[in-house]
Amino acid sequence: MPTLRQAAKDDITLIHELACQAFPATYRDLLSREQIDFMMDWMYSPESLRRQMEEEGHHYYLIYKDGQAAGYVSIQQEGDDLFHLQKIYVLPA
């Protein structure tokens, strides 16, 4: 059964590594390599991830299957009872 845990700043490298697998695979048929590279730098560079967590209020959660990191989710609170699902990526089994 998959499990979920909230990510900490110490997990930025892991999120980056997962994104390097999931994001290009998801968009390879829709975006050019240049666009993917731009988006990866913009959204998933370690500095961008740190800024999202520390300044922009993104909360990342890591998904684990059989003890291995298998994906991530990012949410951002927009109101008292309103959350924006920013990202959800799960690696293929």
Side-chain angles (χ1 to χ4, degrees):
M1 160 111 9
T3 59
L4 193 71
R5 76 164 174 85
Q6 187 165 4
K9 285 181 265 182
D10 291 345
D11 294 308
I12 284 174
T13 299
L14 176 57
I15 295 167
H16 174 77
E17 290 170 359
L18 292 168
C20 285
Q21 295 175 60
F23 190 86
T26 301
Y27 293 104
R28 68 177 167 239
D29 295 332
L30 299 171
L31 301 174
S32 70
R33 183 75 236 172
E34 293 78 21
Q35 289 171 308
I36 290 173
D37 290 344
F38 172 81
M39 297 293 287
M40 286 296 299
D41 185 55
W42 178 52
M43 293 190 308
Y44 293 112
S45 67
E47 177 59 27
S48 177
L49 291 166
R50 184 208 54 78
R51 184 178 56 255
Q52 290 171 46
M53 291 176 157
E54 292 180 354
E55 300 171 18
E56 298 174 9
H58 290 239
H59 298 276
Y60 277 84
Y61 293 84
L62 293 164
I63 302 160
Y64 286 85
K65 184 163 193 267
D66 299 327
Q68 296 290 332
Y72 56 94
V73 174
S74 170
I75 62 170
Q76 186 178 31
Q77 191 166 4
E78 292 187 349
D80 288 341
D81 295 320
L82 180 64
F83 293 84
H84 182 157
L85 176 61
Q86 293 284 353
K87 303 168 184 76
I88 182 168
Y89 291 93
V90 179
L91 299 176

